[in-house]
Amino acid sequence: MSTTYAISMGDRGRVVVPLSLRTKQEWSQGTNLIFIETQSGAFLTSREQAKSLLRKQLAGESLVDELIAQRHHEALGDDNDGS
C-alpha cells in the first residue's frame, strides 16, 4: 500500500498534504503530525501512528526475560555437568 505523492514546499516552509493522502490516513484539521528524521530521509506521520509503530517494534519477547531464561538454562547445564 505504498504510494508516492509529489508536493512543493511553499513560502516559509509550508506544504499542503494532498486530500487523497489525508483521507487514506484519516488525518483531519487539528491532527498532530510529526516529521521523523532518519539517515534515509524524513517521514511524516501522526503521533498516534508513530506510537503504534513503536509499540509494534518493541513488542515481542522481553530481552530481560530472554536473558534470565538463558542464565537459568546455563545454570541447569552447569549443575548437570557437575553430577
Side-chain angles (χ1 to χ4, degrees):
M1 183 179 125
S2 180
T3 305
T4 301
Y5 296 88
I7 60 172
S8 297
M9 187 177 308
D11 66 320
R12 295 194 264 175
R14 293 180 178 158
V15 296
V16 175
V17 179
L19 176 59
S20 59
L21 177 59
R22 295 190 318 254
T23 302
K24 283 182 186 177
Q25 296 301 317
E26 299 179 2
W27 296 344
S28 59
Q29 184 175 353
T31 299
N32 290 314
L33 300 175
I34 58 174
F35 278 104
I36 300 173
E37 185 178 17
T38 70
Q39 291 179 342
S40 302
F43 302 91
L44 179 65
T45 187
S46 72
R47 287 185 180 193
E48 292 306 314
Q49 290 167 326
K51 288 180 196 177
S52 177
L53 177 62
L54 285 172
R55 285 185 185 113
K56 286 179 186 176
Q57 289 178 343
L58 296 174
E61 190 170 342
S62 164
L63 294 178
V64 172
D65 291 342
E66 186 177 327
L67 180 60
I68 290 171
Q70 179 183 359
R71 298 300 163 109
H72 181 70
H73 178 73
E74 289 172 358
L76 289 177
D78 291 343
D79 287 344
N80 290 337
D81 291 341
S83 300

